[in-house]
Amino acid sequence: MDLRTHLEHASPVEAAALVLGQKITCGTVTARIVEVEAYGGQPGSNWPDPASHAYRGRTQRNFVMFGPPGHLYVYRIYGVHLCMNVTFGSEGHGGGVLLRAGEIVAGTAMAQSRRPAARNARDVASGPGNFACALGITPDLQGSDVCDPASPVRLDVAEPVRKIAYGPRVGVRHAASTPWRLWVDGHASVSRYRRHPKADTLQN
DNA sequence: TTCATGATAAGG
DNA sequence: CTTATCATGAAC
């Protein structure tokens, strides 16, 4: 079974685990994905998720999340940074895996030149905005098929992750305790946990 | 800890 | 049209 089919039938955590550890390539830069977060869909769906852009239904921004699995959802956050997701779930159902950190394995010089503020190699693609920046992600890559070898942005299988760590997602106000963040245990590029200042106090 | 920065989507 | 919010990063 191919990656897209796996993503189509995966739960949020399964989808995150499918993407974690894979290699992503954009232009001349390739990175191993070492930190991700899963985001679900609307109320009444299999995985309702108040923290997800898809929660309130399809909009002009998030429509890719409702399209076929295995495509790139790009959005701008805080008016400044771009973030990227790989969609999962069947067509018509919102879902995405946010790519939060990577380790550059090819095109290191190019990646570093895009991240002049990075002091060292592990900071180059650490954090979702930084990761997208280092890869050279642009808004026109919206909707790219990451399962297509001819795509400008694509995923390739890499060796399995030795140990996956789990925890709550970073910076979300809603569903702040849902443990849908997965990372390669012990990896230096994994971002530090930071809870949203106004996060829901009670669990869920 | 604070703040830059602007698109987005909901509300009036 | 107006405005609160935001899946952040970097400086202080």
Side-chain angles (χ1 to χ4, degrees), chain A residues 56 59-62 76-80 194:
Chain A
R56 290 153 201 266
T59 67
Q60 215 166 46
R61 173 176 65 165
N62 69 14
R76 194 175 292 277
I77 187 68
Y78 294 102
V80 185
R194 192 149 142 236

Coordinates of all heavy atoms in Angstrom, one line a residue, chain A residues 56 59-62 76-80 194, chain B residues 1-11:
Chain A
R56 N -13.8 24.6 11.8 CA -15.0 25.4 11.5 C -15.4 25.3 10.0 O -16.1 26.1 9.5 CB -14.7 26.9 11.8 CG -14.6 27.2 13.2 CD -13.8 28.4 13.5 NE -13.3 28.4 14.9 CZ -13.9 29.0 15.9 NH1 -15.0 29.7 15.7 NH2 -13.4 29.0 17.1
T59 N -12.8 26.8 4.3 CA -12.7 28.2 4.0 C -11.7 28.4 2.9 O -11.1 27.4 2.4 CB -12.2 29.0 5.2 OG1 -10.8 28.6 5.5 CG2 -13.0 28.8 6.5
Q60 N -11.5 29.7 2.5 CA -10.6 30.0 1.4 C -9.1 29.6 1.8 O -8.3 29.2 1.0 CB -10.6 31.4 1.1 CG -10.4 31.7 -0.4 CD -10.8 33.1 -0.8 OE1 -10.5 34.1 -0.1 NE2 -11.6 33.3 -1.9
R61 N -8.8 29.7 3.1 CA -7.5 29.4 3.5 C -7.3 27.9 3.6 O -6.2 27.4 3.2 CB -7.3 30.0 4.9 CG -5.9 29.6 5.6 CD -5.7 30.2 6.9 NE -6.6 29.9 7.9 CZ -6.4 30.1 9.2 NH1 -5.3 30.7 9.6 NH2 -7.3 29.7 10.1
N62 N -8.2 27.1 4.2 CA -7.9 25.7 4.6 C -8.4 24.7 3.6 O -8.4 23.5 3.9 CB -8.5 25.5 6.0 CG -10.0 25.5 6.0 OD1 -10.7 25.4 5.0 ND2 -10.6 25.6 7.2
R76 N -0.1 31.1 6.2 CA 0.8 32.1 6.9 C 0.3 32.4 8.3 O -0.9 32.5 8.5 CB 0.8 33.5 6.1 CG 1.8 34.4 6.5 CD 1.9 35.7 5.6 NE 2.3 35.4 4.3 CZ 3.6 35.2 3.9 NH1 4.5 35.4 4.8 NH2 3.9 35.0 2.6
I77 N 1.2 32.4 9.3 CA 0.8 32.6 10.7 C 1.4 33.9 11.2 O 2.5 34.2 10.9 CB 1.3 31.4 11.5 CG1 0.7 31.4 12.9 CG2 2.8 31.2 11.5 CD1 -0.7 31.3 13.0
Y78 N 0.7 34.6 12.0 CA 1.1 35.8 12.6 C 1.5 36.8 11.6 O 2.4 37.7 11.9 CB 2.2 35.6 13.7 CG 1.7 34.8 14.9 CD1 2.0 33.4 15.0 CD2 0.9 35.4 15.8 CE1 1.5 32.7 16.1 CE2 0.4 34.7 16.9 CZ 0.7 33.4 17.0 OH 0.3 32.7 18.1
G79 N 1.0 36.7 10.4 CA 1.4 37.6 9.3 C 2.8 37.6 8.9 O 3.2 38.4 8.1
V80 N 3.5 36.6 9.4 CA 5.0 36.6 9.1 C 5.5 35.3 8.5 O 6.1 35.3 7.5 CB 5.7 36.8 10.4 CG1 7.2 36.9 10.2 CG2 5.2 38.1 11.1
R194 N 5.9 24.9 24.5 CA 5.4 26.2 25.0 C 3.9 26.2 24.9 O 3.3 26.1 23.9 CB 6.0 27.3 24.0 CG 5.8 28.7 24.6 CD 6.9 29.5 24.1 NE 6.7 30.9 23.8 CZ 7.1 31.3 22.6 NH1 7.4 30.5 21.6 NH2 7.1 32.6 22.3
Chain B
dT1 P 7.1 34.6 32.1 OP1 5.8 34.5 32.5 OP2 7.9 33.6 31.4 O5' 7.3 36.0 31.3 C5' 7.8 37.1 32.1 C4' 8.2 38.2 31.1 O4' 9.3 37.7 30.3 C3' 7.1 38.6 30.2 O3' 6.6 39.9 30.5 C2' 7.7 38.6 28.8 C1' 9.2 38.2 29.1 N1 9.6 37.2 28.1 C2 10.4 37.6 27.0 O2 10.7 38.8 26.8 N3 10.8 36.7 26.2 C4 10.5 35.3 26.3 O4 11.0 34.5 25.4 C5 9.7 34.9 27.4 C7 9.4 33.5 27.6 C6 9.3 35.9 28.3
dT2 P 5.4 40.6 29.6 OP1 5.0 41.7 30.4 OP2 4.5 39.5 29.2 O5' 6.2 41.1 28.3 C5' 7.1 42.1 28.4 C4' 7.5 42.6 27.0 O4' 8.2 41.5 26.4 C3' 6.4 43.0 26.2 O3' 6.7 44.2 25.5 C2' 6.2 41.8 25.2 C1' 7.6 41.3 25.1 N1 7.6 39.8 24.8 C2 8.4 39.4 23.8 O2 9.1 40.1 23.1 N3 8.4 38.0 23.6 C4 7.7 37.1 24.3 O4 7.8 35.9 24.0 C5 6.9 37.6 25.3 C7 6.0 36.7 26.2 C6 6.9 38.9 25.6
dC3 P 5.5 45.1 24.9 OP1 5.8 46.5 25.2 OP2 4.2 44.5 25.2 O5' 5.8 44.9 23.3 C5' 7.1 45.1 22.8 C4' 7.2 44.5 21.4 O4' 7.3 43.1 21.5 C3' 6.0 44.8 20.5 O3' 6.5 45.1 19.3 C2' 5.3 43.5 20.5 C1' 6.4 42.5 20.6 N1 6.1 41.1 21.0 C2 6.7 40.1 20.3 O2 7.5 40.3 19.4 N3 6.4 38.8 20.7 C4 5.5 38.6 21.7 N4 5.2 37.3 22.0 C5 4.9 39.7 22.3 C6 5.2 40.9 22.0
dA4 P 5.7 46.3 18.4 OP1 6.2 47.6 18.8 OP2 4.3 45.9 18.5 O5' 6.3 46.0 17.0 C5' 7.6 45.6 16.8 C4' 7.8 44.6 15.7 O4' 7.4 43.3 16.2 C3' 6.9 44.8 14.5 O3' 7.6 44.6 13.3 C2' 5.7 43.9 14.7 C1' 6.4 42.7 15.4 N9 5.5 41.9 16.2 C8 4.6 42.3 17.1 N7 4.0 41.4 17.8 C5 4.6 40.2 17.3 C6 4.4 38.8 17.6 N6 3.5 38.4 18.5 N1 5.1 37.9 16.9 C2 6.0 38.4 16.0 N3 6.3 39.6 15.6 C4 5.5 40.5 16.3
dT5 P 7.2 45.2 12.0 OP1 8.4 45.2 11.1 OP2 6.6 46.5 12.3 O5' 6.1 44.3 11.4 C5' 6.4 43.0 11.0 C4' 5.2 42.2 10.6 O4' 4.6 41.7 11.8 C3' 4.2 43.1 9.9 O3' 3.9 42.6 8.6 C2' 2.9 43.1 10.8 C1' 3.2 41.8 11.7 N1 2.6 41.9 13.0 C2 2.5 40.7 13.7 O2 2.9 39.7 13.3 N3 1.9 40.8 15.0 C4 1.4 42.0 15.6 O4 0.9 42.0 16.7 C5 1.5 43.2 14.7 C7 1.0 44.5 15.3 C6 2.1 43.1 13.5
dG6 P 3.2 43.7 7.6 OP1 4.1 43.7 6.4 OP2 2.8 44.9 8.3 O5' 1.9 42.9 7.2 C5' 2.0 41.6 6.5 C4' 0.7 40.9 6.7 O4' 0.4 40.6 8.1 C3' -0.5 41.7 6.2 O3' -1.5 40.8 5.7 C2' -1.1 42.2 7.5 C1' -0.9 41.0 8.4 N9 -1.0 41.2 9.8 C8 -0.8 42.4 10.5 N7 -1.0 42.3 11.8 C5 -1.3 40.9 12.0 C6 -1.5 40.2 13.2 O6 -1.6 40.6 14.3 N1 -1.7 38.8 12.9 C2 -1.7 38.3 11.6 N2 -1.9 37.0 11.6 N3 -1.5 39.0 10.5 C4 -1.3 40.3 10.8
dA7 P -1.8 40.9 4.2 OP1 -0.6 41.0 3.4 OP2 -2.9 41.9 4.0 O5' -2.5 39.4 4.0 C5' -1.7 38.3 4.3 C4' -2.5 37.3 5.0 O4' -2.7 37.6 6.4 C3' -3.9 37.1 4.4 O3' -4.1 35.6 4.4 C2' -4.8 37.8 5.4 C1' -4.1 37.6 6.7 N9 -4.3 38.6 7.7 C8 -4.1 39.9 7.6 N7 -4.3 40.6 8.7 C5 -4.6 39.7 9.6 C6 -4.9 39.7 11.0 N6 -5.0 40.9 11.7 N1 -5.1 38.6 11.6 C2 -5.1 37.4 11.0 N3 -4.8 37.2 9.7 C4 -4.6 38.4 9.1
dT8 P -5.4 35.1 3.5 OP1 -5.0 33.9 2.9 OP2 -6.0 36.2 2.7 O5' -6.4 34.8 4.7 C5' -5.9 34.0 5.8 C4' -7.0 34.0 6.9 O4' -6.9 35.2 7.7 C3' -8.4 33.9 6.4 O3' -9.0 32.7 7.0 C2' -9.1 35.1 6.9 C1' -8.2 35.5 8.1 N1 -8.2 37.0 8.4 C2 -8.3 37.3 9.8 O2 -8.5 36.5 10.7 N3 -8.2 38.7 10.0 C4 -8.0 39.7 9.1 O4 -7.9 40.8 9.4 C5 -7.9 39.2 7.7 C7 -7.7 40.2 6.6 C6 -7.9 37.9 7.5
dA9 P -10.3 32.0 6.3 OP1 -9.9 30.6 6.3 OP2 -10.7 32.8 5.1 O5' -11.4 32.3 7.4 C5' -11.0 32.0 8.8 C4' -12.0 32.7 9.7 O4' -11.7 34.1 9.8 C3' -13.5 32.6 9.2 O3' -14.3 32.5 10.4 C2' -13.7 34.0 8.5 C1' -12.9 34.9 9.4 N9 -12.4 36.1 8.9 C8 -12.2 36.4 7.6 N7 -11.8 37.7 7.3 C5 -11.8 38.2 8.6 C6 -11.4 39.5 9.1 N6 -11.0 40.5 8.3 N1 -11.5 39.7 10.4 C2 -11.9 38.7 11.2 N3 -12.2 37.4 10.9 C4 -12.1 37.3 9.6
dA10 P -15.7 31.8 10.3 OP1 -15.6 30.4 10.6 OP2 -16.4 32.3 9.0 O5' -16.4 32.5 11.5 C5' -15.6 32.8 12.7 C4' -16.1 34.1 13.3 O4' -15.5 35.3 12.7 C3' -17.6 34.3 13.3 O3' -18.0 34.8 14.6 C2' -17.8 35.3 12.2 C1' -16.5 36.2 12.4 N9 -16.2 36.9 11.1 C8 -16.2 36.4 9.8 N7 -15.8 37.3 9.0 C5 -15.5 38.4 9.7 C6 -15.0 39.7 9.4 N6 -14.7 40.1 8.1 N1 -14.8 40.6 10.4 C2 -15.0 40.2 11.6 N3 -15.5 39.0 12.1 C4 -15.7 38.2 11.1
dG11 P -19.5 34.8 15.0 OP1 -19.6 34.1 16.3 OP2 -20.3 34.3 13.8 O5' -19.8 36.3 15.3 C5' -18.9 37.1 16.0 C4' -19.1 38.6 15.7 O4' -18.5 38.9 14.4 C3' -20.6 39.0 15.7 O3' -20.8 40.2 16.4 C2' -20.8 39.2 14.2 C1' -19.5 39.7 13.8 N9 -19.2 39.6 12.3 C8 -19.4 38.6 11.5 N7 -19.1 38.8 10.2 C5 -18.6 40.1 10.3 C6 -18.1 40.9 9.2 O6 -18.0 40.6 8.0 N1 -17.8 42.2 9.6 C2 -17.9 42.6 10.9 N2 -17.5 43.8 11.2 N3 -18.3 41.9 11.9 C4 -18.7 40.6 11.5

